Amino acid sequence: MGLLSEGSPLSWEETEALANHVREHGINQFINLYHRLKDRQGDILKWGDEVEYIIVKFDDEQQVARVALRAQDLLAQLNEKELADPKGVKSLWRPEYGAYMIEGTPGKPFGGLMAHFNLVEANMRYRREEVTELLAKDECVMSITNFPRLGARNFTWPLAQPRPEDPLSSARSLYFPDEAIFPGHPRFKTLTRNIRKRRGEKVSIKLKVFKDVNTKLPVEGAPPGEPDVVLLDAMGFGMGCCCLQLTFQACNITEARRLYDQLAPLCPIMLALTAASPIYRGYLTESDCRWNVISSSVDCRTEEERGLVPLNKQKFRIAKSRYDSIDSYLSPEGAKYNDVPITYDEAVYQRLVDGGIDHLLAQHVAHLFIRDTVSLFSEKVHQNDNEDTDHFENIQSTNWQTMRFKPPPPNSSIGWRVEFRPCEAQISDFENAAIVCFVVLLTRVILSYQLNFLTPISKVDENMQTAQKRDACRKEKFWFRKSSKTTEQRAAKAKAQAQAQAQAHAQTNGKATLNGGGVAAENGNGLSVNGNGIDHGDKEEPKLTNGSSKMNGHGHGDTNGITTNGSASNGSSNGTDSDHTDTDDEENELFQLLSINEIFNGKPNVFPGLVPLIRSYLQSMEVDTDTHCTIEQYLRFIEKRAAGELITTATWMREQVLNHPDYKQDSVVSERINYDLLKRIQAIQERKHVEPALLGQGYHSKTKTKDFIPPALQKQLAKNGGCCEEK
Ligand code: ADP
Ligand code: MG
Ligand code: MG
């Protein structure tokens, strides 16, 4: 999460009374920002990850592990460096929901050079070491998705007890004390209280217990009539989980909309691959992922909105929580796959359309704005809609969806960005770096090979549920778009386009761009390795504007910013890709059920596989040896995990519990089992223990990750007209 604004939160009653005020001004602000920024062009590829961490405290004598409520104190120290040298730090640290959580990002985003992929893991290691230096000997910073005994008795240090009867408690949870909510900023407790108040009752998160031979039913705290349910009753059970997110900048709004759409169907796929949270409140459950938990944990919908009672006070029934999978595509080629009803206020939609926003974007924003504000600060009530965007951001940032479409912030050099949000946090820096680099590479291949993953939203929703099932990565099948063109055909087409472009542009070299080809002409984001089109104007932030966006004149005064997508002119009915027209597939055959293995590693005549596509793309790129080696390790890891040769973190955790000598086949993850599991995780993340089932043999000696781009490579890049990496 970005920087939090300071101020005093209003009471729920005051906030509720201002719901329409926030909505009205938020919409005005969006219309204004859109017109200021819709024609913004030529932003280079920048990208960065966010990793959330949990601070764990081990009591080695008692063999107990707890979450350490240390975030506020640690952040004060971590932020000192940033305050002293905001541009020079290698990492940035921000608060998260839990008083035991922190979020770390690179000090500045990575850029468009291949060598940047080699920096991610080293930066993640640096972050871990930086925090570790501030910890006591018995504490540890861990990138685990969920603390297995979160909400179980005495799970915090210092110990804190829930106060369900106390009217002043924010959560009023039976299990999750307010002390476990980050105390350093009022946002978190305010959200907790307001979501509960808006809903009219505590949130209710239900997970089926994993039934073992001795599992005692009803599970402690199970709701009446649902004996096999592990019930969780507080925002902290979801927002207190960690995840791995990444954001990247597109060259313009058109490309951002396209990438938003293309990545949306990959969210459930990546969720299944990264599944890492099978244990809740000390019980093994049937779920491998946090997603439904976090979704229910902030479900502020009233009974009317959830359809339990007829509408009276509220305007709509709402199908999903404000934390959920996206409901609509934003690009013209995505439009026909918007097959679930999209709820919005007609008047809000009309204001957006009257304000010059096209249908798809107006629908998206109007849909976000069916939500009321659940956190408002007195200082922020009155704003200048021509300059400020806080009311827009208020609603935007509390719609926590699988993808986020991020407009440029006011008065900044930042462009249109897209955030990819489904992934679960993995134990090691290696895994987290592999996943981040994989997704960023995928965005390049999507653009370069004009891949089309568009799948009806209803099927993506179905995949989201499938992804969370126990061992979905090895056992389940997912709706996926057929694409029979081979990697060779795609590579050849991209190359032909690149060559045509090179002829058109004398100074372009065939291997020039990270986009690898003709597609660059379309999307222009990129990223030249040898620096075509680099703007040397700004030495601080080398700007790789990839001439292509100038070449085909993106945006050309089209007010919607959507029709200039090069592919729209190729006559194909579905826009981005000619898959559809190149094959004889009937529409009803277009979407097939594939396993994770088939999606990542390919299925003949159906889909070439995400990993082979990336490999093919990389062949057209100039990559230094170390970066190549590192990327190769990441790809091997991902292909093996997808193939089931390596298991997901969730499956591994289950095995650790089931094989623990103290496990009583009763689904219970006792304090001792929890302690041993976390100790094992600590050894893995510190690379003291190799876990072949999870990571293969000796993974950690293999990447050549570095925390800077080597001078020789910088020189080479400079000689080619490229940029110099700042240290
Ligand atoms: P959030 O919206 O989740 O609060 P942040 O603003 O904290 O996101 O940043 C998320 C990530 O975006 C970080 O990894 C950061 O390095 C990266 N980032 C920062 N600036 C840019 C940019 N111009 N383009 C792409 N990513 C960026
Ligand atoms: Mg975060
Ligand atoms: Mg984020």
Side-chain angles (χ1 to χ4, degrees):
M1 100 144 39
L3 274 175
L4 296 170
S5 47
E6 297 299 323
S8 344
L10 298 178
S11 71
W12 167 239
E13 291 69 25
E14 291 164 323
T15 307
E16 194 179 24
L18 286 164
N20 282 332
H21 170 87
V22 171
R23 214 174 342 259
E24 191 156 312
H25 291 278
I27 292 292
N28 287 344
Q29 291 173 6
F30 179 76
I31 294 171
N32 292 337
L33 84 80
Y34 174 80
H35 288 292
R36 274 199 311 275
L37 297 160
K38 68 181 191 317
D39 295 325
R40 202 187 148 105
Q41 297 295 329
D43 285 306
I44 58 168
L45 172 65
K46 285 187 184 179
W47 51 281
D49 66 277
E50 296 166 70
V51 184
E52 293 168 352
Y53 303 86
I54 288 177
I55 312 295
V56 171
K57 183 181 174 70
F58 290 105
D59 178 340
D60 292 327
E61 222 162 85
Q62 302 293 321
Q63 298 190 306
V64 174
R66 301 186 173 90
V67 295
L69 309 180
R70 290 265 274 126
Q72 190 174 12
D73 162 42
L74 291 173
L75 283 166
Q77 300 177 63
L78 290 165
N79 290 338
E80 265 173 32
K81 281 194 228 167
E82 182 188 345
L83 285 171
D85 182 12
K87 290 207 158 163
V89 283
K90 282 165 70 176
S91 62
L92 299 174
W93 293 97
R94 298 289 175 259
E96 256 306 329
Y97 184 87
Y100 52 86
M101 285 168 84
I102 50 176
E103 177 190 283
T105 63
K108 52 175 163 289
F110 304 110
L113 303 177
M114 286 302 298
H116 281 121
F117 291 113
N118 208 24
L119 304 181
V120 182
E121 189 180 340
N123 190 273
M124 288 177 176
R125 273 188 209 166
Y126 171 85
R127 282 179 239 166
R128 205 183 280 274
E129 281 159 17
E130 194 180 15
V131 178
T132 305
E133 273 173 22
L134 303 175
L135 298 178
K137 262 206 151 83
D138 58 356
E139 293 171 330
C140 180
V141 54
M142 298 183 140
S143 49
I144 45 175
T145 294
N146 187 29
F147 182 79
R149 286 181 58 84
L150 199 80
R153 215 170 72 83
N154 293 338
F155 75 100
T156 64
W157 187 263
L159 295 178
Q161 300 310 324
R163 298 186 307 278
E165 305 304 333
D166 179 355
L168 296 178
S169 163
S170 306
R172 302 195 61 168
S173 168
L174 293 167
Y175 310 107
F176 195 98
D178 281 9
E179 286 82 349
I181 305 173
F182 184 72
H185 193 280
R187 171 181 168 91
F188 304 104
K189 280 188 186 145
T190 305
L191 280 171
T192 310
R193 177 196 65 195
N194 289 354
I195 285 173
R196 178 170 58 77
K197 289 207 164 184
R198 187 180 191 286
R199 181 179 164 95
E201 61 189 7
K202 282 194 292 186
V203 294
S204 164
I205 306 155
K206 294 178 177 180
L207 289 154
K208 288 271 185 208
V209 73
F210 164 76
K211 272 190 220 134
D212 209 339
V213 287
N214 297 326
T215 304
K216 210 172 119 205
L217 297 183
V219 172
E220 187 276 313
E226 298 176 276
D228 59 352
V229 163
V230 179
L231 184 68
L232 314 173
D233 66 348
M235 179 167 168
F237 282 107
M239 286 299 198
C241 288
C242 296
C243 63
L244 172 66
Q245 299 173 338
L246 60 118
T247 294
F248 51 89
Q249 180 167 281
C251 69
N252 58 24
I253 187 173
T254 307
E255 185 180 274
R257 293 170 74 155
R258 181 166 166 208
L259 285 171
Y260 175 95
D261 284 8
Q262 290 299 334
L263 288 179
L266 293 169
C267 289
I269 309 303
M270 291 306 294
L271 181 61
L273 189 85
T274 59
S277 49
I279 308 166
Y280 293 87
R281 199 159 64 75
Y283 291 96
L284 278 174
T285 70
E286 277 297 325
S287 173
D288 267 2
C289 303
R290 78 197 187 291
W291 192 269
N292 283 349
V293 173
I294 198 163
S295 171
S296 307
S297 84
V298 289
D299 188 354
C300 66
R301 292 172 302 160
T302 63
E303 288 195 334
E304 290 179 24
E305 288 166 338
R306 280 177 280 142
L308 300 176
V309 298
L311 284 176
N312 174 21
K313 198 173 152 219
Q314 256 86 38
K315 276 192 184 154
F316 338 90
R317 285 193 57 184
I318 302 177
K320 288 178 182 173
S321 161
R322 59 202 295 157
Y323 198 119
D324 219 312
S325 183
I326 67 153
D327 287 315
S328 70
Y329 291 116
L330 297 180
S331 65
E333 52 274 19
K336 71 190 245 197
Y337 300 107
N338 286 337
D339 69 335
V340 300
I342 303 162
T343 310
Y344 54 77
D345 185 330
E346 200 55 52
V348 169
Y349 169 82
Q350 201 51 52
R351 275 187 48 220
L352 287 156
V353 170
D354 293 345
I357 314 286
D358 62 276
H359 164 69
L360 290 172
L361 194 52
Q363 168 178 271
H364 167 75
V365 174
H367 183 56
L368 298 182
F369 272 73
I370 59 176
R371 312 289 171 175
D372 287 347
T373 171
V374 272
S375 160
L376 189 58
F377 289 76
S378 55
E379 295 79 354
K380 295 284 177 186
V381 175
H382 298 291
Q383 299 184 11
N384 175 350
D385 290 346
N386 288 316
E387 287 170 16
D388 299 326
T389 57
D390 281 75
H391 287 320
F392 169 72
E393 282 298 333
N394 185 313
I395 303 299
Q396 154 101 333
S397 69
T398 52
N399 270 274
W400 296 278
Q401 298 182 323
T402 38
M403 302 292 305
R404 189 176 279 161
F405 180 67
K406 294 177 170 177
N411 307 318
S412 84
S413 60
I414 300 175
W416 292 91
R417 289 150 305 146
V418 175
E419 186 178 12
F420 188 78
R421 306 165 44 85
C423 295
E424 303 231 322
Q426 309 293 295
I427 293 173
S428 65
D429 299 323
F430 169 84
E431 293 161 283
N432 286 323
I435 286 154
V436 168
C437 292
F438 177 81
V439 176
V440 176
L441 279 169
L442 205 51
T443 65
R444 301 307 97 191
V445 189
I446 288 169
L447 296 174
S448 184
Y449 285 7
Q450 298 172 265
L451 300 179
N452 185 0
F453 297 125
L454 293 170
T455 303
I457 293 282
S458 60
K459 288 192 161 57
V460 178
D461 282 349
E462 206 180 312
N463 284 350
M464 280 300 288
Q465 293 311 311
T466 307
Q468 301 176 60
K469 292 187 181 164
R470 180 153 55 89
D471 211 5
C473 189
R474 287 190 298 192
K475 299 207 175 110
E476 299 294 333
K477 294 205 165 197
F478 297 81
W479 290 111
F480 204 75
R481 190 183 178 101
K482 189 174 170 184
S483 164
S484 25
K485 233 194 263 167
T486 62
T487 48
E488 290 76 20
Q489 287 167 324
R490 290 194 181 276
K493 191 172 164 197
K495 199 172 163 197
Q497 279 175 324
Q499 279 165 354
Q501 207 185 93
Q503 276 170 358
H505 258 248
Q507 79 274 47
T508 305
N509 145 345
K511 264 196 164 184
T513 70
L514 214 131
N515 277 334
V519 212
E522 253 171 51
N523 56 58
N525 194 348
L527 345 5
S528 120
V529 176
N530 80 347
N532 169 37
I534 289 164
D535 172 357
H536 294 274
D538 180 356
K539 277 252 151 54
E540 279 282 292
E541 296 272 62
K543 222 176 171 190
L544 298 112
T545 49
N546 192 324
S548 48
S549 63
K550 290 177 211 144
M551 270 185 234
N552 81 343
H554 256 302
H556 287 276
D558 170 72
T559 50
N560 293 340
I562 51 176
T563 59
T564 50
N565 189 320
S567 46
S569 60
N570 73 3
S572 137
S573 59
N574 65 341
T576 43
D577 194 354
S578 45
D579 259 0
H580 202 157
T581 45
D582 280 1
T583 65
D584 299 328
D585 300 329
E586 293 299 323
E587 182 78 352
N588 61 3
E589 259 192 39
L590 200 53
F591 303 101
Q592 305 213 348
L593 283 166
L594 300 188
S595 66
I596 291 289
N597 185 28
E598 289 163 342
I599 292 170
F600 282 84
N601 295 319
K603 178 176 182 179
N605 303 320
V606 177
F607 183 62
L610 299 173
V611 176
L613 282 164
I614 291 182
R615 283 226 162 85
S616 161
Y617 168 76
L618 287 170
Q619 281 174 7
S620 65
M621 303 302 299
E622 280 171 10
V623 189
D624 67 278
T625 339
D626 287 355
T627 304
H628 181 269
C629 167
T630 299
I631 293 178
E632 189 49 35
Q633 294 309 313
Y634 295 160
L635 293 179
R636 271 191 217 156
F637 159 69
I638 285 171
E639 74 193 354
K640 284 187 180 163
R641 187 184 273 185
E645 239 176 273
L646 299 176
I647 54 179
T648 60
T649 314
T651 298
W652 178 80
M653 284 182 170
R654 285 180 191 282
E655 288 182 0
Q656 294 296 303
V657 174
L658 298 180
N659 296 326
H660 193 283
D662 277 11
Y663 178 63
K664 302 201 170 48
Q665 295 181 293
D666 57 357
S667 324
V668 173
V669 180
S670 65
E671 289 201 323
R672 176 63 199 274
I673 299 174
N674 183 53
Y675 172 86
D676 285 340
L677 173 63
L678 291 163
K679 277 281 174 185
R680 176 58 60 97
I681 290 174
Q682 181 178 27
I684 295 171
Q685 72 184 40
E686 289 173 358
R687 296 180 290 151
K688 290 179 179 153
H689 173 80
V690 176
E691 193 69 51
L694 204 50
L695 292 157
Q697 289 289 352
Y699 77 92
H700 49 75
S701 52
K702 290 185 185 164
T703 75
K704 298 250 170 85
T705 182
K706 292 194 165 54
D707 56 9
F708 61 94
I709 294 186
L713 194 55
Q714 286 188 32
K715 244 201 221 144
Q716 180 68 28
L717 292 163
K719 210 166 68 195
N720 288 346
C723 71
C724 293
E725 169 64 10
E726 324 132 71
K727 284 219 189 127

